Amino acid sequence: MLVFTGAGISAESGIPTFRGQGGIWEKYEPESFGTLPGLGMVWLTQPQRLLEFIVEAMQTFLRAAPNPAHLAIGEAERKGSVRAIVTQNIDDLHERGGSRTLYKLHGDLYTLRCLRCDGRAKFDRSSVQAILNQLDQMRVGRLALLRKLWEILPRCPSCEGHTRPDVVFFGESLPETVLAAAQEEAAKCDALLIVGTSGVVYPAALIPQMAARSGALIVEVNNEETPYTQISNYSFLRKAGEIVPKLLGM
Ligand code: APR
């Protein structure tokens, strides 16, 4: 079985989803906060709001812990019934839930990418917390904010270059090797368990179609109908934390 997850699997861990009631994009418009040019404009025009967005996101991710759905998927992989997980999420809850074979299509908040040599470096939770402590309660203008971010974001361990979180913003390409490997898994899986995604962001949203085309059994868990509901053999309109452990025999 291959598992394909979106923000909904982390909702019960306290990380808001992007869309729907209380979603991140309701409070922070995606064209500004989901794209690099948009973030640049927010930095220029409303630096304090950019700081609030960064602090709120870091606090939310650091507070979150794996919920029963993440743990059941990790356990099912250990037992051999789950072969791999393809996720659109940038949090660390699948890893902390025990998952090992993980394809992160939209990158990873806990990895830094060097702007000079394109190298990757781990951005562990304690480093994120240390930066959050420095940014929280700050009241800044844009130059002070830029200087502070340049100063406190860790440098590349290989070339000392400046770094950025290794996450995919709208308009950026997905990591090619990760996407290709995920598509290969989708094309050969016997069953696909889809958990907590609205299925509206491409090319990630093509994963279930690829599995369905190759004859896999499709099971969806979501608390609302989605474009995947009509291609699913079984669709459970339930919360992930409640039904995923049962489905995986935990
Ligand atoms: N259990 C199951 N499903 C849930 C739960 C829950 N407890 N809570 C919410 N959901 C469902 C919602 O009904 C919705 O269909 O999870 C889905 C979350 O959808 P989105 O917020 O659109 O998140 P996602 O599908 O992961 O978005 C894909 O869009 O903004 C970009 O890069 C971002 O990776 C993200 C991508």
Side-chain angles (χ1 to χ4, degrees):
M1 182 192 315
L2 181 66
V3 180
F4 178 59
T5 65
I9 196 171
S10 298
E12 292 156 83
S13 299
I15 300 179
T17 57
F18 290 95
R19 295 165 185 85
Q21 187 79 29
I24 295 172
W25 297 145
E26 245 183 15
K27 182 174 178 186
Y28 294 104
E29 59 285 2
E31 50 283 354
S32 298
F33 291 88
T35 71
L36 282 177
L39 285 170
M41 275 317 285
V42 177
W43 168 71
L44 268 176
T45 55
Q46 313 165 74
Q48 193 59 33
R49 188 151 183 252
L50 176 60
L51 181 60
E52 278 161 21
F53 173 71
I54 294 171
V55 167
E56 189 176 326
M58 292 171 101
Q59 280 170 337
T60 304
F61 282 108
L62 285 170
R63 267 193 220 115
N67 66 52
H70 297 103
L71 297 167
I73 292 167
E75 179 62 10
E77 182 184 355
R78 197 184 61 75
K79 286 183 175 165
S81 59
V82 162
R83 177 186 158 87
I85 299 89
V86 176
T87 188
Q88 301 166 89
N89 300 340
I90 61 172
D91 60 49
D92 60 351
L93 301 183
H94 277 305
E95 296 91 326
R96 291 166 60 202
S99 294
R100 292 292 169 265
T101 312
L102 188 55
Y103 300 99
K104 301 189 85 162
L105 298 181
H106 292 163
D108 176 30
L109 188 74
Y110 297 95
T111 301
L112 289 172
R113 184 194 321 167
C114 177
L115 299 175
R116 184 189 294 164
C117 72
D118 206 37
R120 296 309 192 267
K122 268 328 275 169
F123 188 30
D124 62 28
R125 295 167 64 82
S126 56
S127 309
V128 177
Q129 184 64 58
I131 286 179
L132 175 59
N133 297 341
Q134 294 193 57
L135 291 177
D136 204 3
Q137 309 309 324
M138 264 180 79
R139 298 204 62 71
V140 285
R142 53 176 171 267
L143 289 182
L145 176 57
L146 187 64
R147 238 193 328 269
K148 191 70 182 168
L149 290 176
W150 258 177
E151 174 201 315
I152 60 179
L153 262 180
R155 291 299 186 96
C156 170
S158 319
C159 76
E160 281 295 299
H162 282 292
T163 59
R164 56 165 276 188
D166 188 24
V167 297
V168 178
F169 288 98
F170 285 119
E172 293 192 306
S173 47
L174 277 63
E176 273 168 35
T177 49
V178 176
L179 179 60
Q183 289 172 333
E184 202 183 312
E185 293 284 355
K188 64 185 182 189
C189 67
D190 300 316
L192 179 78
L193 173 61
I194 307 168
V195 186
T197 179
S198 59
V200 296
V201 175
Y202 287 79
L206 286 173
I207 291 290
Q209 271 87 344
M210 297 179 84
R213 248 202 317 277
S214 63
L217 179 92
I218 309 291
V219 179
E220 180 185 31
V221 171
N222 197 307
N223 57 9
E224 66 179 6
E225 295 219 344
T226 73
Y228 299 131
T229 308
Q230 65 260 28
I231 66 164
S232 298
N233 301 85
Y234 301 94
S235 180
F236 295 87
L237 293 182
R238 298 275 296 277
K239 286 190 165 189
E242 285 165 19
I243 191 80
V244 169
K246 291 192 178 74
L247 286 175
L248 295 175
M250 304 295 155

